[in-house]
Amino acid sequence: MDITLYRLLEKLERERSLSSGEWVRLIEGRDGELARLAAGKADAVRRRIYGNRVYIRGLIEISSYCKNGCLYCGINRDNKNAVRYRLEKSDILACCVKGYELGFRTFVLQGGEDPYFTDDLVCSIVGEIKAMFPDCAVTLSLGEKSGQTYRRYFESGADRYLLRHETADEEHYKSLHPPDMSLENRKRCLFDLKKIGFQAGSGFMVGSPHQTAANLADDMLFLNELEPHMVGIGPFVHHKDTVFADEPSGSVELTLFLISCIRLMLPCALIPATPALGTLDGCGREKGICAGANVVMPNLSPPDARDKYMLYDNKLSSGGESAEGLRQLSENLNKIGYEIEISRGDFRKGMNC
Ligand code: SAM
């Protein structure tokens, strides 16, 4: 193994940051042995803070309508083939009832940016979930909003908010998004969310079109600056009805390596083994956990909605909708030395975070 890369890994573990050039060297120079070492270190850090417990989140995909035109996304506004649906409040509450019975104590309401979901409606849904299940956390992932809207969401009881920055490089951002979207606004949203008091999550796709190692270095530097409570990364997976239909999918191996690096950089972060990882690799979720992730997000959406929330081809959407699915997930995790925890699974500020 290249000893300088080993030293960079040790530096990351010790100082929790690297320069841009060092990130590029680590990312470009990595091999299987370095990745194994990184995963071992990341696992040890995670066990120190979260033990061998894996948190589960019930994902409810509330709308496939979106006013945005993100070029990579299957539900973008310009995809005329996308099947659109939105869940009624009663459907969402029914998903929570079912999820609660199964043991979920966090519900993640995610959707395209759908103007149907006004601030009043979102706040009343959040308020009802919190009234029905006071011991549960609600995570929202509904895109870019004003600071005022985020504050209303928070005051209605929402605990967490997921908004990936997608890429921290201006030019790269422009190559993935239409001109009416900006990295500046995305970042503004994330800093607003933190200031308001949310447990805030950011992240990016690995292997998105045009992405370079220098872009990934920028992503790591941005995460270091933002210090989010949650970091979701997953491989880019093409969607047949987008302009990126012929682009290759991102690398599972690189995603796993970066999960380990993020665990070393932000030891206390809640890091999901994302559905995109499970989509590209049948054991992707388990591999993500072994690499340092500590969260899984089984799907609680009604089955007919799940088939329509197609962000990318062949999207994995199983795992939590039934007691059987959850039992299987639990068994798979037990086999590799981890256990599902029935709790809200909040961000834990450890002594060394
Ligand atoms: N509208 C909200 C937002 O913008 O954060 C939430 C929904 S958005 C579809 C959720 C995430 O899906 C995005 O942050 C993006 O990273 C991911 N995503 C979209 N298209 C993808 C693709 N083709 N491959 C992998 N992930 C994708």
Side-chain angles (χ1 to χ4, degrees):
M1 184 203 304
D2 182 341
I3 192 74
T4 54
L5 296 180
Y6 179 73
R7 293 220 170 98
L8 282 180
L9 201 58
E10 290 210 308
K11 181 178 175 195
L12 175 62
E13 189 181 21
R14 197 175 54 244
E15 298 179 16
R16 306 218 185 117
S17 71
L18 294 177
S19 69
S20 174
E22 288 170 332
W23 275 119
V24 170
R25 274 171 67 196
L26 196 66
I27 291 166
E28 287 185 336
R30 75 189 189 284
D31 61 10
E33 202 184 339
L34 191 82
R36 269 190 298 282
L37 259 173
K41 286 177 183 294
D43 189 46
V45 168
R46 184 266 314 282
R47 281 176 191 266
R48 208 176 64 228
I49 298 158
Y50 292 104
N52 73 337
R53 317 296 263 182
V54 174
Y55 296 146
I56 49 171
R57 320 297 200 198
L59 181 62
I60 306 172
E61 296 157 336
I62 67 170
S63 176
S64 68
Y65 286 89
C66 192
K67 69 178 179 57
N68 287 337
C70 306
L71 272 55
Y72 45 82
C73 185
I75 61 165
N76 82 68
R77 66 186 174 212
D78 301 314
N79 181 7
K80 302 292 175 255
N81 294 330
V83 187
R84 307 292 174 175
Y85 74 93
R86 55 174 69 97
L87 300 184
E88 295 297 328
K89 186 204 251 185
S90 56
D91 300 324
I92 297 170
L93 294 175
C95 292
C96 296
V97 169
K98 192 174 67 175
Y100 192 88
E101 282 165 8
L102 289 169
F104 288 91
R105 296 296 178 264
T106 288
F107 302 113
V108 182
L109 274 46
Q110 190 186 83
E113 288 194 27
D114 178 359
Y116 172 86
F117 284 92
T118 58
D119 293 358
D120 283 346
L121 180 55
V122 172
C123 291
S124 86
I125 294 169
V126 172
E128 276 198 47
I129 297 174
K130 296 295 280 194
M132 286 169 76
F133 309 106
D135 55 336
C136 290
V138 173
T139 304
L140 297 177
S141 179
L142 303 174
E144 298 175 21
K145 310 283 171 184
S146 67
Q148 200 186 358
T149 292
Y150 287 145
R151 189 166 291 284
R152 286 198 59 194
Y153 289 171
F154 189 70
E155 285 165 0
S156 73
D159 302 275
R160 310 187 189 121
Y161 204 99
L162 298 175
L163 183 80
R164 290 179 174 182
H165 65 277
E166 310 296 1
T167 172
D169 178 272
E170 285 284 356
E171 287 310 308
H172 189 218
Y173 191 92
K174 281 186 199 150
S175 75
L176 299 177
H177 298 94
D180 59 335
M181 293 179 75
S182 75
L183 178 58
E184 191 190 355
N185 194 48
R186 202 87 183 163
K187 287 185 174 176
R188 189 270 307 157
C189 289
L190 284 161
F191 285 106
D192 277 357
L193 288 163
K194 272 200 79 179
K195 201 161 61 193
I196 289 166
F198 279 102
Q199 291 175 43
S202 191
F204 54 90
M205 287 174 291
V206 177
S208 57
H210 317 298
Q211 186 180 64
T212 63
N215 295 152
L216 289 170
D218 282 348
D219 289 323
M220 300 307 251
L221 295 181
F222 175 68
L223 290 177
N224 206 14
E225 178 196 348
L226 176 69
E227 289 191 84
H229 305 85
M230 303 172 280
V231 183
I233 68 166
F236 160 77
V237 187
H238 56 228
H239 186 289
K240 60 180 175 36
D241 297 319
T242 64
V243 293
F244 295 141
D246 297 325
E247 293 288 332
S249 290
S251 152
V252 169
E253 173 273 319
L254 177 54
T255 306
L256 296 171
F257 179 67
L258 292 174
I259 286 177
S260 301
C261 291
I262 292 167
R263 173 62 66 203
L264 294 177
M265 183 170 75
L266 300 168
C268 294
L270 296 160
I271 304 178
T274 54
L277 206 44
T279 296
L280 289 189
D281 183 323
C283 300
R285 284 197 298 202
E286 290 78 4
K287 288 181 182 172
I289 297 297
C290 292
N294 64 331
V295 173
V296 285
M297 299 171 73
N299 203 310
L300 281 182
S301 311
D304 55 329
R306 249 179 277 160
D307 299 339
K308 297 174 190 145
Y309 195 77
M310 275 299 149
L311 306 183
Y312 44 81
D313 291 346
N314 306 315
K315 181 173 149 275
L316 177 77
S317 59
S318 60
E321 66 283 9
S322 65
E324 173 55 22
L326 204 58
R327 194 186 53 77
Q328 188 62 57
L329 176 63
S330 172
E331 272 179 19
N332 292 349
L333 291 174
N334 290 163
K335 273 188 212 146
I336 54 171
Y338 302 92
E339 278 175 56
I340 282 183
E341 176 164 318
I342 304 293
S343 78
R344 282 171 48 116
D346 283 303
F347 175 78
R348 201 175 284 178
K349 185 101 181 120
M351 287 217 315
N352 284 319
C353 291

